[in-house]
Structures are given as structure tokens and as C-alpha cells.
Amino acid sequence: MKTPAELPILMSQRSTLTKDLAISFLMQQGVENPDCLSLAAGLVDPETLPVEETLRAAQQVLATRESGIRALQYGTTPGSAQLRSELLTYFADLEKCSTESLGIDASQMILTTGSQQLLSLVCETLLDPGDICLVAGPTYFVFAGNLAGVGARTVTIPSDDQGMDPAALDHALEQIASMKELHRVKLIYAVSYYDNPSGVCLSTSRREQIVEIAKKWSREHRILVLEDAAYRELRYDGEEHPSVWSFDQERANVIYTQTFSKTFSPGIRVGFGIVPKDLVTAICERKGNEDFGSAHFNQKLIATVLRSGEYQGHLAKVRDGYRLKRDAMLAAAQKYFSDLPGVSWVHPKGGLYVWMTLPESLESGFDRPLFSQAVKHGVMYVPGELCYAGPVEDRPRSQMRLSYGVLPVDLIDEAMRRLADAVRETQSARTSNDVSS
Ligand SMILES: Cc1ncc(COP(=O)(O)O)c(C=O)c1O
């Protein structure tokens, strides 16, 4: 007879849908190889973290006993009224219009624990097992995990240097409709600025077309576009794009999310969502079940730095720092990879990532020689195949996501040199195997 401690724990069916092996493997590799230079981590540059700004904001929030007590008490499920109204002004600035002409009110602004929580809440609120979400290929791999976690099906839409291809999106919806599955389509997900992982920024005309396509195929129910604008403010050059959200005149088809993790601090972890009016209650009820409100104190900190202008000052410094690092990575790519045939990479105008494509014969997965060779040389990357939703066998296998977020400029150069050496050696080992067999 087994003791209670020896008996198995029975997990829910839903929990078995969640698989986090890739990220755990990467983290373990990091721990086992402490000298490895990581181009894999999508973390924020530690040098930019706003210690002094946050201290000043905390002093302000805690300046009187009354304001301190308010901040340290539970907040409400949708979040601090002060920050939500501050964010309407902030968002109107981004959209280059007045708060009135945004056409929304503060009730549609929901504060979350990072934008990740909003992505997860949207999946939980909208998607039943078997429902369909259309995503770009490649896409943000954590969101692909959210979709898998609720048992949703994904349809991958090809993406090029202007982002998700609207003609392919329209065609996919036509095919889904012809298979009588349109009623299962709930969402189109797009990382609209400097995508994670591809670095690509969705072109303005495609933004408008994607909204039109969502409306066109909204027949019996509304198909929503989930616009993930996590990197919107990390623009280093190139034109400023209006949001996808701005093309939805009725404010009915687009859910917009943004975060202060990348531009201020992921430790504070404040994100927000702007949702159509008739989705507010469902999202808030779900959020109520989870946490009945994200950290109130942190929301007060963000409201304080937005109001004082410290946020904007900090953002300017962060942008300058990342621009230098982006340039360092592109210069190193040119220096070490340009003589390698069949290798190409995206030149991002913002964000944290360079997306590199290798010749098809050079697969980049964890179990491939290139990954082991890279670790042997002391460098790590995210294999591109992890950044696709849907069946593993259909994914491209010879791409890499390289992040310039964490390493300082000189180490970015060194990491890229090591990576190019690993690519070259793996390539020549393959060639000599081919010759001898
Ligand atoms: C595209 C994208 N969306 C959302 C997030 C979530 O960030 P947070 O939850 O810290 O706001 C990330 C984080 O890396 C991201 O890359």
C-alpha cells in the first residue's frame, strides 16, 4: 500500500497542454555554461535599469502616510484609476491625437502584470479547445505557448520584411471558410512593432489591410486582431507607424497591448490593454479569478514617473543605448557572416532582436550539431524553430533569434565572432562528411 506521498498527483487535462521545455532547456544551458555569452536571453539591459528614478518615485508615492497607505492597499481588478487616466493621455500622445478623439474611456483600459497577463487573459477569455488563432510565422514563442495551453489551433501566415502578409491572411481565411470552420476563428495575433523574434515592423498599409480583413471575415461573430505593441517605443530609426488599433474606427475589432517592461523595468512589470467595450467585463471577470488586481504599488510608481516626465527622460537614454547595441550587432554580422554563403539577416529599426537565416542544410535546433558547437565556443542563441506555432515538422529549421539586449557592445562583437566560428566549423564538418560518404 502506497503512502499518500507516493501516490501520483492527477493534473488537469488543460495543464498537460502546457509545455515549457525549450525555455527550461535554455536556462539550464545558461546555468551549466556560466561563461557562455548569451544572445538568447530577451532580458532588458541591466545597465539601463532605472534604480534612481524608481527610488525617487517610491519616495513620492510614500511621501505621506495617506498616499503610502493608498498605494500599499489592494487596488481594483482593472487597476489604479490614476494610472488608467494617465495612460489615456500617454496613449493619445503616441497616437498623436487628443484623449477625446481616441474614442474610448478609461473603463476600456485594463492594467495587467506585464502585457503577458493580458495575452494570457485574452486566450482564456476567447479560446476554447479547437478554436483558431492566425499568427505570423515566425511569432512570439511565449504567446504560441499560451495558445497551445488553451488547446487552440494555430494557422501560420507567412511574413516578410513588412510583416504578416495580408494576401496570405485573406487566402487562409477563405480556405478556412470553405472548410466550414470560420466559426472557430477568434483571433489574429500580430506583434506590430519590431517583432519578437523577426525584428520586422508591420508596414502601415498592412496594418490597415489586416483590420479590413478581420472585419471582412467577421460574418456571424467578430474576429479580433490582438495587437501586441510591446516594442512600440523602442524605435531607433525609420518611420513612425500608427498602431493597427488606429485603423479600427469603430474601436470594436482590435485589442491593443503594451508594456513598461522593456522601456522602464520588467521587475515593476506593469502592462496595459485597451479592449473593445463589450469585452471589458469578460476580461475583468477572468482577471478577478486570477488576482483581482495587479500590484497596486507598482502601478503608482509608473503613474508617478509618467507624470513627472522621468519616464520620458529614461526612455530617451534606453533608446540611445539599444541603438548602439543594434548597430554593434549589425556591424558584427557584416564583419563575421557576410562571407558565408546563404546567410542573411534582418536589419531591425527597433526592438531587441536580429533574426538570422542560415542555409537550409544548417539546422539550428537544440539537438543539432550547430547548437552544441555554439555552446562549445561559448555562445548561445534561440533556435528559430521554437518561434513557430503549429506542428514541429512544418517549421523552418535553420534560423536563429539573436538578442542584443543584455550583452555590452564589446561582448556583442565577441559573441557574434564565436557564433560565426561555430557556423563555419559545423558547415565544413557537414561538407567533409558529405564528401566522405
Ligand atoms: C512580443 C512580446 N509581447 C509581450 C511580452 C511580455 O512582456 P511583459 O509581460 O514583461 O510585458 C514580451 C516579452 O518579452 C514580448 O517579447
Side-chain angles (χ1 to χ4, degrees):
M1 171 105 169
K2 290 185 172 162
T3 66
E6 287 164 344
L7 293 171
I9 296 173
L10 292 185
M11 306 293 172
S12 70
Q13 281 185 7
R14 180 164 271 200
S15 81
T16 63
L17 296 170
T18 303
K19 299 204 170 38
D20 193 22
L21 299 176
I23 199 80
S24 317
F25 179 81
L26 263 179
M27 288 173 84
Q28 193 185 331
Q29 290 291 311
V31 171
E32 285 171 11
N33 302 281
D35 297 331
C36 230
L37 298 177
S38 183
L39 298 171
L43 300 183
V44 167
D45 183 350
E47 296 301 316
T48 70
L49 290 173
V51 177
E52 292 76 19
E53 290 86 341
T54 305
L55 178 62
R56 282 193 290 275
Q59 276 165 340
Q60 229 173 301
V61 172
L62 302 172
T64 66
R65 185 150 178 83
E66 290 69 32
S67 67
I69 285 173
R70 274 198 304 276
L72 293 171
Q73 187 52 277
Y74 278 120
T76 58
T77 303
S80 146
Q82 181 198 8
L83 179 55
R84 290 158 80 209
S85 104
E86 205 68 57
L87 283 180
L88 280 182
T89 315
Y90 158 87
F91 186 60
D93 281 351
L94 285 179
E95 294 294 323
K96 304 200 184 330
C97 67
S98 65
T99 48
E100 293 71 37
S101 47
L102 284 175
I104 52 166
D105 58 54
S107 75
Q108 289 167 262
M109 176 78 77
I110 300 174
L111 307 184
T112 45
T113 305
S115 50
Q116 192 60 48
Q117 189 185 31
L118 195 93
L119 299 182
S120 166
L121 288 170
V122 167
C123 289
E124 295 280 354
T125 308
L126 294 179
L127 298 170
D128 284 317
D131 281 347
I132 297 172
C133 176
L134 298 107
V135 300
T139 193
Y140 173 41
F141 63 85
V142 181
F143 185 67
N146 288 129
L147 292 171
V150 295
R153 287 179 286 167
T154 48
V155 172
T156 296
I157 307 300
S159 167
D160 59 21
D161 61 354
Q162 294 183 55
M164 183 189 277
D165 176 2
L169 175 66
D170 194 43
H171 181 64
L173 284 161
E174 196 175 331
Q175 278 194 320
I176 293 170
S178 73
M179 293 188 297
K180 309 255 175 294
E181 291 257 60
L182 198 57
H183 63 290
R184 303 306 304 264
V185 177
K186 302 276 185 68
L187 271 183
I188 300 165
Y189 172 70
V191 182
S192 49
Y193 299 87
Y194 324 115
D195 196 355
N196 175 5
S198 71
V200 159
C201 191
L202 195 60
S203 71
T204 299
S205 66
R206 288 193 179 183
R207 289 165 191 259
E208 186 168 12
Q209 288 174 63
I210 287 172
V211 174
E212 278 167 12
I213 291 166
K215 287 181 193 280
K216 170 181 157 187
W217 291 101
S218 293
R219 302 258 166 96
E220 307 279 322
H221 70 278
R222 231 180 288 156
I223 295 175
L224 298 169
V225 179
L226 175 53
E227 176 177 20
D228 182 341
Y231 298 92
R232 180 171 191 171
E233 292 192 292
L234 293 186
R235 182 175 72 90
Y236 315 134
D237 38 51
E239 68 179 292
E240 251 183 285
H241 295 272
S243 61
V244 175
W245 180 90
S246 68
F247 292 103
D248 176 24
Q249 304 297 341
E250 293 82 16
R251 311 293 184 231
N253 276 81
V254 179
I255 302 168
Y256 177 93
T257 76
Q258 213 185 307
T259 176
F260 293 100
S261 288
K262 309 293 177 185
T263 50
F264 200 71
S265 158
I268 294 178
R269 209 78 200 287
V270 171
F272 67 92
I274 297 172
V275 306
K277 240 188 167 62
D278 49 355
L279 190 58
V280 170
T281 305
I283 298 255
C284 285
E285 282 175 356
R286 180 80 219 174
K287 183 163 167 53
N289 273 354
E290 276 188 17
D291 64 6
F292 49 90
S294 301
H296 192 211
F297 181 72
N298 297 5
Q299 295 171 1
K300 292 279 184 195
L301 292 179
I302 294 292
T304 304
V305 295
L306 280 174
R307 188 175 303 164
S308 67
E310 291 242 39
Y311 172 76
Q312 289 74 3
H314 180 71
L315 176 61
K317 283 190 279 178
V318 168
R319 268 201 207 114
D320 288 347
Y322 282 138
R323 185 185 293 110
L324 286 177
K325 289 176 166 222
R326 187 270 320 254
D327 291 347
M329 183 171 276
L330 290 177
Q334 184 62 27
K335 184 155 105 191
Y336 301 118
F337 287 86
S338 57
D339 64 327
L340 287 166
V343 179
S344 62
W345 56 93
V346 172
H347 290 61
K349 300 210 171 346
L352 296 178
Y353 311 101
V354 167
W355 181 245
M356 186 173 271
T357 301
L358 302 169
E360 259 177 45
S361 57
L362 259 187
E363 298 187 353
S364 60
F366 287 142
D367 55 350
R368 303 282 94 192
L370 175 59
F371 191 83
S372 326
Q373 197 64 12
V375 171
K376 218 192 280 171
H377 276 273
V379 63
M380 252 188 291
Y381 59 85
V382 174
E385 66 196 51
L386 301 180
C387 306
Y388 287 85
V392 177
E393 56 282 5
D394 296 346
R395 302 177 186 182
R397 293 178 187 279
S398 54
Q399 294 168 316
M400 300 185 284
R401 189 195 78 173
L402 310 176
S403 171
Y404 43 83
V406 180
L407 294 179
V409 165
D410 54 333
L411 291 183
I412 289 174
D413 183 85
E414 171 62 14
M416 292 294 277
R417 188 190 62 73
R418 293 182 189 184
L419 187 58
D421 285 349
V423 168
R424 226 173 248 113
E425 285 167 21
T426 313
Q427 177 91 297
S428 57
R430 260 194 66 85
T431 316
S432 50
N433 276 350
D434 288 351
V435 169
S436 59
S437 58

